[in-house]
Amino acid sequence: MSLQAISIPPATGQAPEGLIVVLHGWGANAQDVASLLPLLSLSSCQFLCPDGPLPHPYNPPSGRMWYSFGQTPTFPVADGTGLAASRQLLTDWLQSLEGQTGVPLSRTVLAGFSQGGAMTLDVGLSLPLAGLVSLSGYWHQSSQPKSDAFPPVFMAHGLQDNVVPLSAARDARDRLLALGVSVQYQEFQMGHDVRPEVLQLMRTFVLQVLSQNRAKTSYKV
């Protein structure tokens, strides 16, 4: 089993200078996050937006999810039905991307919104990625990254978020800092959504980490 993804090549028509993988939230799908990508103005990058492997029970037929919360989500999330399988599936898929795109993990940024942000932190901290972006996200209590050198992280969260509480984002930030992860963290006057000013900071972060890893590029084109 693999993941089905929307692929958006660089607008420049050239080989990608970086790869950005974006994970949707609970009940959304790849098309939802793909619609936001033009606002990033990263024309030299390739984007991949995978669908979560599981159908969403309350948003058929297009809604997807990475795992089930059960009846009522509680934060921080200790575990979820299907989380272990999705974690392994996403890890294997990410590790296969260099062979498909020619872009190494060191030039790949993994990003996600809400549940996708949680999966980003869960899986991404154990891989040699250029950077991680968690928007309106959280971090699983059961997550134990297998690494001694972590990619840098950008996090953004709404002060009025009534879906993923602000305390969950702050808890994730504090746990990451305790591990020695480099974290850029910002809070905004917004709810559970993505604003243009958040995407602008995400863009700046992506350009920063790709610039730092430019020497590691090894395209296969």
Side-chain angles (χ1 to χ4, degrees):
M1 183 178 179
S2 186
L3 295 173
Q4 300 298 312
I6 294 172
S7 178
I8 303 172
T12 60
Q14 305 297 314
E17 294 185 5
L19 179 64
I20 304 174
V21 178
V22 188
L23 310 180
H24 63 77
W26 190 66
N29 57 37
Q31 189 61 55
D32 287 341
V33 290
S35 66
L36 298 173
L37 301 183
L39 299 176
L40 288 171
S41 298
L42 292 167
S43 60
S44 62
C45 292
Q46 179 175 348
F47 292 91
L48 284 173
C49 304
D51 275 323
L54 301 173
H56 190 266
Y58 311 126
N59 188 23
S62 60
R64 309 295 297 179
M65 62 184 181
W66 297 95
Y67 56 87
S68 173
F69 288 111
Q71 292 296 321
T72 304
T74 56
F75 296 93
V77 175
D79 207 339
T81 303
L83 172 57
S86 281
R87 177 188 290 133
Q88 188 61 57
L89 181 62
L90 181 58
T91 299
D92 293 344
W93 182 75
L94 288 167
Q95 290 175 326
S96 76
L97 293 183
E98 181 174 359
Q100 300 175 37
T101 66
V103 183
L105 288 178
S106 62
R107 301 279 299 160
T108 299
V109 175
L110 179 61
F113 175 77
S114 194
Q115 190 183 68
M119 293 300 295
T120 291
L121 296 177
D122 190 305
V123 170
L125 289 166
S126 296
L127 295 173
L129 294 157
L132 309 176
V133 176
S134 176
L135 305 180
S136 301
Y138 53 96
W139 193 21
H140 307 126
Q141 283 292 95
S142 61
S143 182
Q144 297 183 353
K146 302 180 178 71
S147 178
D148 54 6
F150 302 108
V153 174
F154 171 70
M155 299 180 66
H157 212 89
L159 290 165
Q160 290 85 40
D161 193 327
N162 60 4
V163 177
V164 177
L166 183 61
S167 59
R170 291 176 174 175
D171 172 76
R173 174 200 61 192
D174 294 345
R175 289 168 59 204
L176 291 170
L177 290 172
L179 282 175
V181 179
S182 174
V183 180
Q184 298 180 33
Y185 178 86
Q186 293 282 336
E187 294 175 355
F188 294 84
Q189 293 291 343
M190 65 180 190
H192 193 66
D193 53 18
V194 180
R195 300 285 179 86
E197 55 267 37
V198 174
L199 293 176
Q200 183 58 46
L201 287 180
M202 176 179 168
R203 179 181 188 275
T204 299
F205 174 80
V206 169
L207 291 173
Q208 175 188 357
V209 297
L210 291 182
S211 176
Q212 292 170 349
N213 288 275
R214 183 164 286 121
K216 301 177 183 179
T217 302
S218 62
Y219 299 128
K220 299 174 183 177
V221 296

